[in-house]
Structures are given as structure tokens and as C-alpha cells.
Amino acid sequence: MKCQKFVFVVFLLLNLITTHVLAECTCEPEEDEGKKSEALKYKLIALASILVAGGIGVCLPFIGKIVPSLSPEKDGFFVIKAFAAGVILATGFIHILPDAFDHLTSPCLKDHPWAEFPFTGFVAMVATILTLMFETSSAAYQQRSQSKSSRNDHVHVNGDEENNARHSGQVAAHTHATHGHAHGSITHVDGVASSLSQVDRYKIVSKVLELGIIVHSVIIGLSLGASESPKTIKPLVIALTFHQFFEGIGLGGCLFQAEFKSIVATLMGAFFSLTTPIGIAVGIIVTNTYEENSSTALIVEGVLNSASAGILIYMALVDLLSPDFMNPRMQRNKMLQFSSNVSLLLGAGLMSLLAKWA
């Protein structure tokens, strides 16, 4: 009898726990926890603050032309860039990747493949590999173009020298000496062309980094704009403003070092600054039709978040942190190295802490 009572109690507890868990995993749209007008007010505040923060962040490295202490040539910029890279790294690991896991393992997905295979890690891995392939192929293409251009310039200059020598009646010995000098020059030129310049490398980095940031920015903007809960939106305003500002510094530093033409740098900076606000505006427009728990929304957001996380993690480690931390200028300066390490940990730590609210 006691055994039967024990079994009955255990069964009742399990039933209550199961009912509670299933109740939390509902796929129905959540009830509005606040007035739509209040939610709209916070959305507009978020739109304005994120737009301003992103614009200031991406412009800050260019202000270095006016304020010498903010110039990328100064040691302080290494510290600021390390902080920004830490923010981007934490964004990929702490904010985007867990969201992607939640979306692609949601109980609202009825299709078996999404539940039976770790698509989040797979998509992030593929995005990382594709980013590497794009960077290396772009670098190889630019190297070949530089090498070909250098050889054409050498042939043109060498031919002109020989023709001038013939017309002026110079002796063959002088022509041969000139020809030998030209060969020495082309060896030097080929040596330069064989390694991609820092400016060209930053041009590639800037394009890929902006792509990864924009993909994520569209998603977070759309999600914030479609939300109707003021309790959800309030912490996102501060978190996304902070996030957008320091992502802008990281991107702006790459744009500055890439030495783009003014119009190109302006367009890339403006596109970055406007992406999240545009996403918020679109989210506000589709509030009544957007279903965040629908299969299509979960799969699309999960895949894009996974790809964005892979790109940002790769860019933060390989393109932003590694070149600066391996730079002889930093390695020779113990104080700069220490400051950059602390700045990196601080940026990653603060961005990770924001995950508690956003």
C-alpha cells in the first residue's frame, strides 16, 4: 500500500513538472504585456539612440584626423580597437550564437531534420570557412593583379629605355647596364607584389566585417521593432546602443586603415548606421503580421544568426585581434600590450554582462 502511494505521488509530481514545462514551451504568440503606444515610444527611442550611437562609433576613427590622440597611428587606438574587438567577439559567442541555438532547436519546429542535426554549429562553421575562402581568394586575386601590373610597367619602361638608347646612339654597354638596373628594380617590385599590402588587406576585412554586422543588425532590428512588450524593449535600448557604438568603432577603424575614397567610406559607414534602425522601422510596420514563433521565422533567423556569429567570431579573432596583438609595435611595448589585454577582457566582459538583460 505504501509502495502504491509512493508511486502515485511520484506520478503526480512528474505530471505537474511536465505540464509546467509544456506550458512554457508554447508556440502561440505571447499576450501583450503593455500598451502598444508605450511599446512604440520605446521603439522610437531605440531607433534614434542606435542610429546616433552607430554614426558616432563609425566616425570616431576618422575624427583622429582632427584630434591626434584618437588617430589610429597612436597607441591609444590599439586599446580602443581591442575593446571594440572584444565587444564583437562577445556579440558572436554570447548574444548571437545562443539565439541561433534557441531558434533552430525550438519545440515549435515540427520538421525533424532541425531537431536531429546541430544545424547551428554547422552553419556557423560553413560561414567561417566561406569567410576564410573569400578573404584568401580576394587577396590572391589582388596579388596577381599587382604582379601583372608591375610586369607590364617594367616592360613598358624597359622598352622605352632601349628605344631612347638606340635613337641617341648610346653604346650597347650602357644599354646593358641600364637593362641590368631595370631587372634589379623588377625583382624589388615583384617582392613587394608578392605580399598583400596592409591597405588592401583592410579593404577586404572591412567588406566582410560589414557583411557580418549587417546580417545580424537586420535581425535584431526586426525583432525589436516587432516586439510589443515594453519590458522586452527597455533593456534592449541600452544594450543595442552600447553594442552598435563599439561595433562602429571596430568597423570605422578598418575603414580608416583601408584608406577608401571618401564617398566609399561614407556610404559604408552610413549603411552600417542605418541598418538596425531600418530593421526596427520594418519591424514596427509588420508588427501585426510577423509571427516570431512560426517555423519560417525561426529557421530564417536561426540560419542567419548562425552565419553572422561565424563571420563575426572569425573576424574578431583573425582580422582584428591577431594582427594587432602580433604587431611588433605592441610586442615591444609592455604597457601597450597590458593595456590592450585589459581592454579586450573589459570589452568582452561588459558585452557578456549585457546578455543578462538582452
Side-chain angles (χ1 to χ4, degrees):
M1 189 67 180
K2 290 182 179 180
C3 184
Q4 289 178 345
K5 287 183 179 180
F6 177 75
V7 171
F8 176 75
V9 171
V10 171
F11 173 77
L12 185 61
L13 288 172
L14 289 174
N15 189 38
L16 288 172
I17 292 171
T18 305
T19 304
H20 179 69
V21 171
L22 291 176
E24 290 182 343
C25 296
T26 179
C27 296
E28 297 298 323
E30 295 182 2
E31 293 295 327
D32 189 4
E33 297 178 4
K35 297 178 180 179
K36 289 185 177 180
S37 59
E38 186 181 0
L40 180 60
K41 179 184 72 174
Y42 286 116
K43 291 176 189 178
L44 295 177
I45 292 173
L47 191 153
S49 63
I50 290 172
L51 176 62
V52 172
I56 293 174
V58 78
C59 291
L60 198 60
F62 293 90
I63 298 175
K65 293 181 178 180
I66 304 171
V67 183
S69 59
L70 296 176
S71 173
E73 283 76 23
K74 300 293 183 179
D75 289 347
F77 191 75
F78 279 89
V79 180
I80 297 174
K81 195 175 174 185
F83 187 93
V87 170
I88 294 173
L89 189 63
T91 299
F93 273 120
I94 307 299
H95 292 262
I96 308 180
L97 207 56
D99 284 347
F101 273 109
D102 289 342
H103 286 129
L104 296 182
T105 57
S106 171
C108 302
L109 286 179
K110 298 177 182 178
D111 298 330
H112 293 292
W114 299 101
E116 295 176 356
F117 187 80
F119 276 99
T120 305
F122 177 76
V123 173
M125 177 189 70
V126 170
T128 303
I129 294 173
L130 291 177
T131 303
L132 172 66
M133 290 180 175
F134 174 79
E135 285 196 349
T136 53
S137 60
S138 298
Y141 173 77
Q142 290 195 12
Q143 284 184 10
R144 288 194 296 269
S145 298
Q146 290 176 3
S147 179
K148 184 178 180 180
S149 176
S150 299
R151 290 194 184 95
N152 290 338
D153 290 343
H154 163 65
V155 171
H156 178 72
V157 171
N158 190 40
D160 287 346
E161 286 180 350
E162 289 181 352
N163 288 334
N164 290 337
R166 291 192 191 98
H167 289 304
S168 61
Q170 292 176 346
V171 293
H174 178 73
T175 303
H176 181 71
T178 305
H179 186 66
H181 176 72
H183 270 298
S185 298
I186 192 170
T187 302
H188 173 69
V189 171
D190 283 347
V192 173
S194 64
S195 60
L196 194 66
S197 69
Q198 282 290 93
V199 173
D200 290 329
R201 193 184 71 82
Y202 276 114
K203 286 181 179 179
I204 299 171
V205 169
S206 300
K207 294 172 184 176
V208 180
L209 181 60
E210 176 145 357
L211 174 64
I213 292 173
I214 284 175
V215 169
H216 174 56
S217 296
V218 170
I219 296 171
I220 59 176
L222 181 62
S223 300
L224 189 150
S227 175
E228 295 184 359
S229 171
K231 290 183 180 180
T232 302
I233 299 172
K234 282 181 185 178
L236 284 175
V237 175
I238 299 174
L240 294 182
T241 301
F242 178 87
H243 166 256
Q244 199 78 352
F245 175 73
F246 285 103
E247 270 194 349
I249 292 178
L251 178 62
C254 288
L255 292 176
F256 183 90
Q257 291 171 304
E259 297 181 8
F260 282 113
K261 293 181 180 178
S262 297
I263 184 66
V264 176
T266 302
L267 287 174
M268 292 181 73
F271 199 50
F272 160 77
S273 303
L274 292 171
T275 304
T276 302
I278 289 174
I280 295 173
V282 172
I284 294 172
I285 294 171
V286 302
T287 298
N288 295 325
T289 57
Y290 178 76
E291 297 180 10
E292 62 180 1
N293 288 328
S294 66
S295 297
T296 302
L298 288 170
I299 292 172
V300 171
E301 288 186 26
V303 170
L304 290 178
N305 270 333
S306 300
S308 180
I311 293 172
L312 292 183
I313 291 169
Y314 173 90
M315 299 298 295
L317 291 173
V318 177
D319 291 323
L320 297 179
L321 291 173
S322 181
D324 284 352
F325 277 69
M326 297 301 291
N327 191 318
R329 179 176 166 186
M330 182 182 289
Q331 293 185 340
R332 286 195 297 263
N333 190 332
K334 291 184 179 180
M335 193 60 186
L336 177 59
Q337 190 174 19
F338 175 77
S339 301
S340 298
N341 286 332
V342 172
S343 183
L344 169 62
L345 293 173
L346 191 62
L350 289 176
M351 198 63 200
S352 300
L353 184 63
L354 284 176
K356 184 178 179 180
W357 299 280

